[in-house]
Structure formats: structure tokens, C-alpha cells
Amino acid sequence: NIDANLPKERLQAILAAAGATLIDPSPTMQEIGAVRLYFKSDPHWNPEGHRTIGKLLTPVIFNALKNEK
């Protein structure tokens, strides 16, 4: 059996050991659906995909900058 979560779990452990946090957009992206977030002709995010990631990352970045002061 292949554990599909193993790479993410390993990366999360490596980042945690370095004092960083893994931000996994997969649940949010899956909830919205790939049809709305990716271009039809290639695997890149379309403008809505970029907006979705921006909305996900904005509070994380804001809190990191606020805590840096």
C-alpha cells in the first residue's frame, strides 16, 4: 500500500524541525474544485486559483509579519 499522505507528513516534520509551518492549500482547493481554479489547457492556476491562494495566505503572512515586530 502507498500512503498518499506520507510525502506531506515528512515535509511537515522537516519544516516543523526547522521552525516553519506547512501551509497545505489542498483542502481549500479541493473544496472549491479544480474546474474553477485551473486553466483548462494546462495545470497552472487561473486568476481565481491565484485569488484563492492569496486569500488563504494573506492571514498567515499578516500574522507572521505582525509577530516579527
Side-chain angles (χ1 to χ4, degrees):
N1 289 340
I2 297 175
D3 182 358
N5 288 319
L6 186 59
K8 181 176 76 172
E9 290 169 1
R10 286 190 177 166
L11 179 58
Q12 195 167 16
I14 291 167
L15 292 173
T21 302
L22 175 66
I23 301 164
D24 182 7
S26 300
T28 301
M29 301 291 272
Q30 290 170 353
E31 182 180 313
I32 294 171
V35 172
R36 290 182 47 203
L37 303 176
Y38 293 87
F39 287 110
K40 293 178 184 178
S41 60
D42 68 50
H44 295 95
W45 298 329
N46 62 23
E48 188 171 351
H50 282 278
R51 272 191 299 277
T52 300
I53 293 299
K55 288 177 185 175
L56 180 70
L57 292 179
T58 296
V60 175
I61 294 168
F62 179 77
N63 286 334
L65 292 173
K66 186 171 69 173
N67 293 332
E68 195 174 275
K69 293 180 180 182

